[in-house]
């Protein structure tokens, strides 16, 4: 199940991990259908490691799940909903469904070492804060595998417990990377271009690099309740989406 991600540097085809992480894949596809990612910044690039995107605020502190987005529009006054466009956008931080639980297929060290792995982002590595943000690895041997969680029993069996635990017995490798998908096509070398982007000390590119839009190639999931109204409120036209090669979600 795939999407076409169009960026300033070119296009990527991404195959989503619908079997390993169905809830995360569904969330992503429905956000795409709502045009949530259109014209958003690629706001953090760590050369040799990853690029981070998917936050409409463009600083890593924003974004939400499709359910939080639906809630935020439902909470608007009726007079506002009748308008063709809504500005400013509703406040997603008020929804109790802003984030998803961190449930999905956890990537192993070998997978994390690959180029083009798409990972669902927890906000600030806080559990159960998956919204719209994601990252894509930019190279092999990117170092992310050094932070993958190590199973306590596996460490004990391998005799590595002392090397992987702190003085209180806690696990030093606490990062959890959940699979969202994998780059299947990169004929325009988008990942290599991102890897060479000039950035400030915080990883923010000096150039204006954006997700221009994302198109759904195939979506096997039913729409969540409220999706039809959400698309209407956001001005998404079913016929236009279908003409663009996306599945009609309406």
């Amino acid at each position: 199940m795939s999407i076409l991600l169009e960026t300033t540097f070119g296009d990527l085809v991404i195959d989503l991990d619908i079997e390993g992480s169905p809830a995360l894949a569904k969330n992503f596809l429905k956000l795409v259908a709502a045009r949530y990612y259109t014209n958003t910044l690629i706001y953090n690039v760590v050369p040799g490691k990853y690029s981070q995107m998917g936050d409409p605020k463009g600083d890593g502190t924003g974004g939400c799940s499709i359910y939080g987005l639906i809630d935020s529009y439902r909470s608007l006054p009726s007079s506002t909903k009748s308008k063709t466009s809504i500005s400013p956008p509703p406040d997603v931080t008020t929804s109790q469904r802003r984030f998803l639980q961190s449930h999905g297929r956890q990537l192993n060290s070998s997978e994390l070492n690959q180029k083009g792995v798409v990972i669902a982002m927890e906000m600030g590595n806080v559990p159960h804060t998956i919204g719209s943000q994601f990252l894509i690895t930019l190279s092999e041997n990117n170092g992310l595998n050094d932070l993958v969680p190590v199973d306590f029993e596996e460490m004990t069996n391998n005799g590595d417990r002392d090397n992987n635990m702190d003085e209180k017995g806690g696990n030093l490798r606490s990062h959890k990377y959940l699979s969202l998908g994998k780059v299947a096509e990169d004929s325009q070398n988008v990942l290599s271009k991102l890897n060479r982007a000039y950035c400030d000390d915080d990883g923010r590119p000096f150039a204006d690099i954006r997700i221009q839009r994302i198109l759904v190639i195939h979506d096997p999931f039913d729409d969540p309740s409220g999706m039809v109204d959400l698309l209407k409120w956001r001005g998404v036209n079913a016929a236009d989406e279908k003409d663009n090669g996306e599945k009609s979600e309406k």
Side-chain angles (χ1 to χ4, degrees), residues 155-215:
M155 288 190 299
T156 304
N157 291 339
N158 292 339
D160 293 331
R161 175 179 174 180
D162 292 339
N163 292 329
N164 291 284
M165 307 295 285
D166 62 20
E167 60 184 8
K168 296 182 180 180
N171 190 349
L172 293 175
R173 298 184 179 182
S174 59
H175 289 68
K176 186 175 184 180
Y177 294 109
L178 297 177
S179 172
L180 187 56
K182 184 80 164 58
V183 173
E185 295 181 26
D186 182 14
S187 60
Q188 296 172 297
N189 298 313
V190 174
L191 298 183
S192 295
K193 293 174 185 176
L194 282 171
N195 200 36
R196 296 194 299 268
Y198 288 103
C199 303
D200 64 19
D201 292 340
D202 294 321
R204 194 171 186 87
F206 290 112
D208 188 70
I209 308 172
R210 292 180 180 268
I211 295 174
Q212 295 173 331
R213 65 175 180 173
I214 307 179
L215 303 179

Side-chain angles (χ1 to χ4, degrees), residues 43-44 46 50 52 59-62 99-102 106-107 112 119-131 133-135 143-144 146-149 171-178:
Y43 52 86
N44 185 28
V46 182
Y50 58 82
Q52 189 175 348
D59 61 7
T61 65
F99 299 120
L100 297 180
Q101 298 287 302
S102 299
Q106 191 163 331
L107 293 160
L112 284 171
I119 304 170
M121 285 286 298
E122 294 177 328
M123 192 174 291
N125 293 318
V126 176
H128 310 310
T129 57
I130 292 177
Q133 296 185 43
F134 61 99
L135 62 83
L144 292 182
D146 294 333
L147 299 174
V148 76
N171 190 349
L172 293 175
R173 298 184 179 182
S174 59
H175 289 68
K176 186 175 184 180
Y177 294 109
L178 297 177

Side-chain angles (χ1 to χ4, degrees), residues 37-165:
Y37 296 107
T38 298
N39 204 36
T40 56
L41 281 170
I42 297 176
Y43 52 86
N44 185 28
V45 175
V46 182
K49 292 185 180 293
Y50 58 82
S51 60
Q52 189 175 348
M53 59 199 83
D55 175 9
K57 291 183 65 176
D59 61 7
T61 65
C64 66
S65 72
I66 187 61
Y67 307 101
L69 187 62
I70 290 171
D71 282 354
S72 68
Y73 276 83
R74 279 176 168 168
S75 65
L76 291 172
S78 299
S79 58
T80 304
K81 294 176 184 177
S82 63
K83 297 179 180 179
T84 304
S85 61
I86 299 173
S87 182
D91 182 9
V92 299
T93 64
T94 60
S95 171
Q96 294 184 351
R97 299 195 300 170
R98 180 185 180 188
F99 299 120
L100 297 180
Q101 298 287 302
S102 299
H103 296 157
R105 187 174 68 82
Q106 191 163 331
L107 293 160
N108 60 40
S109 296
S110 176
E111 290 174 308
L112 284 171
N113 254 339
Q114 298 174 18
K115 182 178 180 179
V117 178
V118 186
I119 304 170
M121 285 286 298
E122 294 177 328
M123 192 174 291
N125 293 318
V126 176
H128 310 310
T129 57
I130 292 177
S132 56
Q133 296 185 43
F134 61 99
L135 62 83
I136 304 177
T137 57
L138 297 177
S139 66
E140 298 177 348
N141 302 315
N142 50 56
L144 292 182
N145 64 312
D146 294 333
L147 299 174
V148 76
V150 177
D151 182 77
F152 179 86
E153 182 177 356
E154 179 181 343
M155 288 190 299
T156 304
N157 291 339
N158 292 339
D160 293 331
R161 175 179 174 180
D162 292 339
N163 292 329
N164 291 284
M165 307 295 285

